[in-house]
Amino acid sequence: MKKFFEERKRFIFLVSPAIIGAVFLFLCFSNFGPSVNYQESANAFMTRSDFSAVWNSSISQAQPPLYFLALKTWAHFFGHSVIIMRALSAIMGALAIIFAFLWLKYKYGSTIAIVSSFMMAISPALVHFGQSIAPYTMLIAIFFAATFFLQLAIDDKKTAWWVIYVLLLIAGMLTSYFSLFAWLAHFVYLATIYRHKIFQHKFVYIYIFAFAAYIPWMFSPAYSGGAELSMPGFANIFSLALIYEQAGNVTNWLLIPFIIALIIIVLLAIRFRAKIHLLNSVATVPIVLLIILSLPPLKSIFAPYHAIYSMVALPILAGVTMSLYTRELFTKKRKKAKKILMRYPAIKVAVLAICLIGVPIMGIMSVYGKGNYDFNTNKKVSANALFDDIVTLDRHENSSIVAIQQDVYYELSMYQSYHHDVHYYSQLNLDKFLEKREAIWLVGVAPQKGTFDFEHDGWRITTIANMNYDDLGETYQILKIEKE
């Protein structure tokens, strides 16, 4: 068996990033069914406008436009369905894994690159964001591409690599202002290399530019969106990264493997800290910055997904340190010892692998089980179920759907079809809209009492249905309005 792998070693190393990327794509594509949430639907809705409108809309909302322009281009060529729109994130995630593999192979060798990029591919956080219409996997792809070229620039000292790195840094800032956390992690890494001489290098201006681009956004109305800084919120970063569950819900038998895996990662990261400066920086700097920038009197931005770099770095860190530890165990000359683990290091490695691989696998199961569960409100997102129920009630009459609230409109519009078009009540010229229709479906979050106010001469309510899909979720009211 050993000879078989030795003879095909080069081929395995060549195809492994494609295979690992395919594993990630399979994990993402096999779970595209859960309902879209509001943020996904709002991002997708923006792509229905032309390119100039997408640009203007993102700028007016103080959001960098690059992801929305990329999503608009993707939707223009391939369509606006939920699966198609989510596919872009999955592909970006696979691209991130390939760039991570290239950097890891360059830095640590092919074996560590295979193990670590596989750990990245089964990262619950990355798999979740690979199933979302959101810019996170695009950010991760840009970051690892930039990391690869930064490493080349440091080692080769070629201007071309620095130019590519700067362009990627700009692309990151045009995708999300939170990419600053990644670039400052790079800066800390450079500080470990150049120490007190770091400010003598011209590349310092790159990071000054990124920080200068971030500061004006801090004073914009869009600068917020996080919960109050707290210990449970801090712990959520690690629990969501490793097991995709809020820290408060990691209880009983689930708590034990989570704690063991986290302790192993921390201990190995300390043990091999001299070899993993960048990974340690990426795992810690974004979290530290997130804490500092969420302290009063600043508005809190503390949310786990703002530390997405740290969340994805944890499984990579686990892969790299586990591989370094394995290499260390098998290269040592072993003397006769009473302890079986000392005599047979393969057992120790197997136990480590089970712990570090088993926990993210449980996390992926949680990703599949929870879908787009909103951890902030503890509510289940159910737009697809609501749309299906309206279609069932419609009984092939092909009536239009009118949403009362904007968020309901955005979410339902993701599932509209030729036979069941979706409209927003506040944007309708109702008289003109009803001229060519015999019936419509009016839907929205149910009022506390009675039904929605709909008074229009010659029209009456013929069907009332109140639907609830989660104990803590909203109750939706569906009304059928028919011409008398």
Side-chain angles (χ1 to χ4, degrees):
M1 183 64 71
K2 184 177 180 181
K3 183 179 179 182
F4 175 84
F5 283 110
E6 285 293 332
E7 291 175 349
R8 293 161 178 80
K9 185 176 180 180
R10 180 176 176 80
F11 175 76
I12 292 171
F13 289 155
L14 286 173
V15 301
S16 54
I19 294 173
I20 294 169
V23 169
F24 174 78
L25 288 175
F26 172 78
L27 292 174
C28 292
F29 276 81
S30 59
N31 193 42
F32 275 175
S35 174
V36 295
N37 58 28
Y38 173 71
Q39 193 56 58
E40 279 188 289
S41 59
N43 291 344
F45 188 82
M46 195 182 294
T47 65
R48 298 184 183 182
S49 306
D50 58 31
F51 283 95
S52 61
V54 170
W55 174 276
N56 293 333
S57 180
S58 62
I59 296 300
S60 66
Q61 297 175 33
Q63 297 185 63
L66 186 60
Y67 169 72
F68 299 106
L69 292 173
L71 187 62
K72 167 65 180 176
T73 304
W74 177 264
H76 177 77
F77 287 104
F78 300 105
H80 291 80
S81 70
V82 174
I83 292 176
I84 292 297
M85 301 287 264
R86 284 175 169 170
L88 176 62
S89 292
I91 292 170
M92 285 293 177
L95 192 63
I97 291 169
I98 291 173
F99 276 115
F101 179 91
L102 291 174
W103 171 69
L104 290 164
K105 182 177 181 296
Y106 178 81
K107 185 74 175 176
Y108 300 105
S110 298
T111 302
I112 292 180
I114 291 172
V115 173
S116 304
S117 55
F118 174 75
M119 293 294 292
M120 181 182 177
I122 62 171
S123 162
L126 191 63
V127 171
H128 168 68
F129 288 120
Q131 300 166 354
S132 304
I133 306 172
Y136 302 110
T137 54
M138 184 172 174
L139 277 173
I140 297 299
I142 291 171
F143 169 71
F144 278 106
T147 301
F148 176 59
F149 286 106
L150 175 64
Q151 199 70 62
L152 292 176
I154 293 169
D155 295 342
D156 294 348
K157 297 180 175 58
K158 290 184 178 179
T159 303
W161 301 138
W162 282 110
V163 170
I164 295 173
Y165 176 73
V166 171
L167 292 176
L168 288 167
L169 184 147
I170 294 171
M173 294 302 293
L174 288 174
T175 303
S176 171
Y177 292 113
F178 289 106
S179 65
L180 174 72
F181 296 173
W183 311 135
L184 291 184
H186 278 172
F187 179 79
V188 171
Y189 170 59
L190 290 169
T192 63
I193 298 173
Y194 298 102
R195 300 185 182 278
H196 63 279
K197 295 182 179 180
I198 188 171
F199 291 101
Q200 298 176 10
H201 294 270
K202 293 181 180 179
F203 59 67
V204 170
Y205 296 106
I206 300 171
Y207 304 101
I208 293 175
F209 161 77
F211 193 69
Y214 181 84
I215 290 176
W217 183 61
M218 292 177 65
F219 300 97
S220 73
Y223 186 79
S224 61
E228 185 179 10
L229 184 61
S230 64
M231 189 62 198
F234 173 76
N236 282 343
I237 294 175
F238 303 97
S239 61
L240 289 171
L242 295 179
I243 210 161
Y244 197 68
E245 182 61 88
Q246 282 185 308
N249 294 332
V250 182
T251 57
N252 299 324
W253 286 105
L254 189 62
L255 181 64
I256 296 173
F258 168 69
I259 290 178
I260 291 173
L262 192 59
I263 289 173
I264 290 172
I265 293 172
V266 172
L267 291 177
L268 290 178
I270 294 171
R271 185 186 185 96
F272 296 104
R273 60 189 180 278
K275 297 181 179 180
I276 54 171
H277 286 306
L278 179 54
L279 279 174
N280 278 337
S281 179
V282 175
T284 57
V285 170
I287 297 175
V288 172
L289 289 172
L290 197 56
I291 291 172
I292 293 172
L293 293 173
S294 295
L295 292 171
L298 296 173
K299 292 183 289 185
S300 178
I301 56 170
F302 197 86
Y305 55 84
H306 290 159
I308 180 66
Y309 305 103
S310 299
M311 295 171 73
V312 174
L314 281 175
I316 299 174
L317 191 61
V320 171
T321 54
M322 180 174 64
S323 300
L324 290 173
Y325 186 59
T326 301
R327 185 179 292 173
E328 181 183 272
L329 285 176
F330 282 95
T331 53
K332 281 183 178 179
K333 291 183 178 179
R334 298 185 296 277
K335 297 179 180 179
K336 289 185 178 181
K338 293 182 179 180
K339 294 182 179 181
I340 190 170
L341 291 180
M342 298 299 292
R343 284 183 289 154
Y344 302 102
I347 297 176
K348 189 183 290 188
V349 172
V351 172
L352 279 178
I354 290 171
C355 292
L356 296 180
I357 296 175
V359 168
I361 288 175
M362 287 191 289
I364 291 174
M365 292 171 64
S366 180
V367 171
Y368 276 46
K370 292 184 178 299
N372 254 346
Y373 184 81
D374 191 331
F375 286 108
N376 293 322
T377 62
N378 294 319
K379 294 178 181 178
K380 181 181 178 182
V381 183
S382 306
N384 57 348
L386 177 61
F387 184 85
D388 289 342
D389 285 341
I390 296 171
V391 172
T392 300
L393 290 170
D394 189 58
R395 299 187 181 185
H396 304 290
E397 293 184 14
N398 301 336
S399 300
S400 299
I401 300 170
V402 179
I404 298 292
Q405 293 90 9
Q406 187 181 60
D407 56 342
V408 177
Y409 166 58
Y410 281 170
E411 291 170 5
L412 289 180
S413 66
M414 291 297 298
Y415 299 99
Q416 70 177 345
S417 63
Y418 175 78
H419 295 296
H420 295 93
D421 47 316
V422 180
H423 305 269
Y424 183 30
Y425 187 86
S426 297
Q427 294 180 341
L428 287 178
N429 181 333
L430 198 58
D431 291 328
K432 187 175 181 180
F433 181 75
L434 295 175
E435 280 181 2
K436 297 181 180 180
R437 288 169 171 81
E438 296 296 321
I440 64 168
W441 290 98
L442 196 65
V443 59
V445 176
Q448 292 184 350
K449 294 181 180 179
T451 62
F452 300 123
D453 292 330
F454 186 87
E455 296 181 3
H456 203 80
D457 292 339
W459 290 77
R460 62 188 177 88
I461 299 174
T462 59
T463 302
I464 302 174
N466 289 327
M467 315 298 294
N468 185 279
Y469 304 97
D470 184 67
D471 291 340
L472 298 176
E474 307 284 2
T475 296
Y476 295 94
Q477 187 171 95
I478 306 170
L479 303 180
K480 186 174 185 180
I481 316 292
E482 292 189 80
K483 186 180 290 185
E484 293 180 340

